[in-house]
Amino acid sequence: MNGKFITFEGGDGVGKTTQVALLADALKSMGLTVKTTREPGGDVVGEKIRNLLKSCKPSDMDPLCEALLMFAARRDHFVKTIKPLIDKGYFVISDRFYDSSLVYQGVLKKISFEDIMTLKKITIGDFEPDLTIVLDVAPSVSIERLSMRKLILDEYDLMKKNEHDLIRKGFQKTAEIFSFRSVVVKAAGSEQKVFSRIMKIVQERIFR
Ligand code: TYD
């Protein structure tokens, strides 16, 4: 089987990291070679850029500077990790990809859709995920999950409820725009319940 690229998107606290791990285990148990990764990050350069982003207060960083750093990290991640592994037949699963830039730097920080798509074109060309799972949950649930997960929330986590609303709507919109590769999955309920919804979509979209 050819390599595939599956991305998980959604607001903070929707449960992407757990679902990435569950899907990786399921695919491995089917005998597939799997690599899980994340953005910003993934490789040496990406992780350094992630640390840089996390060490600055979001309010201190110019939005375009932030978008450029996200795409710099993404370019390196794509060239050094994602593309070579897909070419080798891996199933690469990423916790976030460029839809996150459209929502966080686009919708939230007001960089235009066209400008983000220009950065996308320059850095990764026409490349697209084979499947994007957009986890969708009410902000009250994601905020509660975030506060259970960490004792100390960083500034990215401490977004106000209206920002969670904007982010949720932003991902619903990207799922609509990129409907050829995106499926919105209800992320309320137990981890196993959410995972069975995801696995059904993976079976339909990837293995049929
Ligand atoms: P992280 O702690 O990994 O959050 P999560 O588990 O919710 O993914 O931090 C990643 C943060 O970076 C998250 O708040 C979203 C943000 N981000 C962007 O603003 N733009 C991007 O392009 C990406 C990939 C992430």
Side-chain angles (χ1 to χ4, degrees):
M1 178 146 199
N2 292 334
K4 299 282 177 203
F5 186 47
I6 301 175
T7 57
F8 279 74
E9 298 281 8
D12 303 69
V14 294
K16 294 182 307 306
T17 311
T18 306
Q19 297 300 331
V20 165
L22 289 173
L23 179 60
D25 287 346
L27 295 177
K28 279 181 201 161
S29 70
M30 292 163 70
L32 295 161
T33 329
V34 180
K35 164 83 178 160
T36 60
T37 186
R38 66 174 179 182
E39 290 206 347
D43 210 331
V44 183
V45 174
E47 290 295 327
K48 286 198 169 164
I49 296 176
R50 179 188 182 89
N51 290 338
L52 169 64
L53 284 157
K54 290 242 167 191
S55 65
C56 301
K57 280 188 181 172
S59 47
D60 281 346
M61 193 174 284
D62 167 70
L64 183 57
C65 172
E66 190 175 293
L68 289 164
L69 285 171
M70 293 292 177
F71 276 97
R74 183 162 298 125
R75 163 75 191 173
D76 192 77
H77 190 206
F78 173 67
V79 171
K80 298 227 196 79
T81 306
I82 300 170
K83 183 79 171 59
L85 290 181
I86 294 170
D87 290 346
K88 279 192 200 156
Y90 275 68
F91 271 58
V92 180
I93 309 173
S94 187
D95 188 337
R96 299 193 181 280
F97 197 51
Y98 83 89
D99 295 355
S100 284
S101 297
L102 284 165
V103 173
Y104 288 87
Q105 283 67 54
V107 175
L108 222 55
K109 302 269 177 97
K110 308 260 183 299
I111 302 204
S112 73
F113 181 86
E114 291 71 26
D115 283 354
I116 301 274
M117 290 308 286
T118 301
L119 294 177
K120 186 260 174 192
K121 182 90 186 166
I122 293 167
T123 50
I124 60 169
D126 293 331
F127 178 78
E128 293 286 345
D130 294 288
L131 174 64
T132 298
I133 301 285
V134 179
L135 292 179
D136 181 72
V137 80
S140 54
V141 176
S142 50
I143 291 167
E144 187 172 331
R145 283 182 188 167
L146 274 176
S147 51
M148 284 192 325
R149 194 169 74 192
K150 297 181 188 172
L151 285 177
I152 301 167
L153 302 179
D154 64 26
E155 198 170 330
Y156 271 109
D157 298 327
L158 285 173
M159 291 171 297
K160 291 175 247 43
K161 186 175 169 300
N162 69 330
E163 291 194 337
H164 281 268
D165 278 331
L166 272 177
I167 290 167
R168 182 187 194 193
K169 289 200 179 92
F171 280 113
Q172 288 169 348
K173 185 83 192 155
T174 58
E176 229 176 274
I177 296 169
F178 304 107
S179 60
F180 66 93
R181 61 165 165 84
S182 308
V183 183
V184 177
V185 175
K186 280 201 176 67
S190 71
E191 287 172 0
Q192 278 308 323
K193 214 171 213 164
V194 177
F195 180 63
S196 63
R197 293 180 196 132
I198 292 171
M199 207 51 212
K200 191 165 170 273
I201 292 157
V202 172
Q203 293 286 1
E204 283 166 10
R205 295 272 185 138
I206 302 283
F207 295 112
R208 249 176 227 161

